[in-house]
Amino acid sequence: MEVKKSQKADLEGKRNTFLLFGLVVALGSTLLAFEWTSKPGKAESLGTIVTQEVEEEIIPITREQEVKPPPPPPPPKVIEVLNIVDDDVEIEDEMEIEDSEADDETIINIQPVIEMEEEEELPSDHIFTIVEEPAEFPGGTRALYSFINKSVRYPVIAQENGIQGKVYVKFVVNEQGKVSGAEILRGPDQSLNNEALRVINSLPDFKPGKQRGRPVKVFYNAQISFQLQ
């Protein structure tokens, strides 16, 4: 037997319509809830503000009391003591003042006073370090080092071992200007020291140094540089 249903009683056909209607109602309720605002009630009174007056404190102005320095002490009193001498006292030693007036016949002897400065005698072998007129090589210091540079022969043993440096020499220029007493003060190698002494001893005569116009012995220092090219 075939079952027949009425189209009005069939709910399956309206299912989609009810679903859409429910979604629209839910969305509208949600939007209405977000847009809903409540207005605050009107406040009748916020209270009263009570002000209290504060008395201003007045700070008194004080000044430091000026301290006056004590007065200076009074000056000491000077007491004059007078010694009274009787007129009857005899003075044994009396100064006799002779007449010192000069006339045409007065002879005045004036002797000049000559102060002789005693010159200190120094021994003949004394050697000066500083003198009034120092010893000088003919032509000056430049000529001295030019002579040394031309006279130096570099030792072969020093060249082979790569030895170089400066040799400091001290010698004496005597009263005749001749060089003597040469000695090494400092040097890098014995071979260089020997060559420096040879060159110094071969120097020509100097102009001797003078002290108080008199030739004297003077110390002289020189340096010789040995440098490999």
Side-chain angles (χ1 to χ4, degrees), residues 4-164:
K4 296 182 179 180
K5 292 184 179 180
S6 175
Q7 293 182 355
K8 294 181 179 181
D10 188 7
L11 298 179
E12 290 295 332
K14 298 180 181 180
R15 181 179 179 181
N16 294 332
T17 302
F18 290 150
L19 179 60
L20 292 176
F21 180 76
L23 292 175
V24 170
V25 172
L27 181 60
S29 300
T30 304
L31 294 175
L32 182 62
F34 280 108
E35 294 295 331
W36 186 271
T37 58
S38 59
K39 297 182 179 180
K42 184 177 181 182
E44 296 180 356
S45 175
L46 296 177
T48 58
I49 299 174
V50 180
T51 59
Q52 183 177 1
E53 295 182 359
V54 179
E55 295 183 0
E56 185 178 357
E57 184 179 359
I58 300 174
I59 301 174
I61 300 174
T62 58
R63 292 183 179 180
E64 187 177 357
Q65 187 177 2
E66 184 179 358
V67 179
K68 294 182 179 181
K77 294 181 180 181
V78 180
I79 301 175
E80 295 182 359
V81 179
L82 299 178
N83 294 328
I84 302 174
V85 182
D86 297 336
D87 295 338
D88 298 336
V89 176
E90 295 182 359
I91 300 175
E92 296 180 357
D93 298 332
E94 291 185 357
M95 183 183 299
E96 295 181 0
I97 301 175
E98 297 180 356
D99 186 9
S100 60
E101 293 183 1
D103 51 15
D104 296 339
E105 297 180 357
T106 304
I107 299 174
I108 302 174
N109 293 326
I110 300 176
Q111 296 180 355
V113 179
I114 302 174
E115 295 183 359
M116 296 294 292
E117 183 179 356
E118 295 183 0
E119 186 175 352
E120 184 181 357
E121 294 184 0
L122 296 174
S124 58
D125 58 347
H126 180 76
I127 304 175
F128 289 84
T129 304
I130 300 174
V131 290
E132 296 173 354
E133 298 181 22
E136 184 179 357
F137 187 81
T141 306
R142 185 182 295 274
L144 170 63
Y145 283 101
S146 176
F147 179 88
I148 292 175
N149 291 333
K150 293 178 181 179
S151 303
V152 168
R153 295 192 295 267
Y154 213 112
V156 178
I157 187 172
Q159 293 182 15
E160 293 176 352
N161 294 310
I163 300 173
Q164 58 183 356

Side-chain angles (χ1 to χ4, degrees), residues 191-209:
S191 62
L192 300 182
N193 296 347
N194 294 335
E195 176 61 16
L197 288 176
R198 185 193 67 79
V199 173
I200 293 298
N201 289 325
S202 67
L203 290 175
D205 293 349
F206 281 63
K207 178 183 177 182

Side-chain angles (χ1 to χ4, degrees), residues 166-170 183-188 193 196 222-224:
K166 294 181 179 181
V167 180
Y168 295 87
V169 188
K170 180 180 180 181
E183 58 178 326
I184 301 297
L185 298 178
R186 187 169 72 252
N193 296 347
Q223 67 177 22
I224 301 177

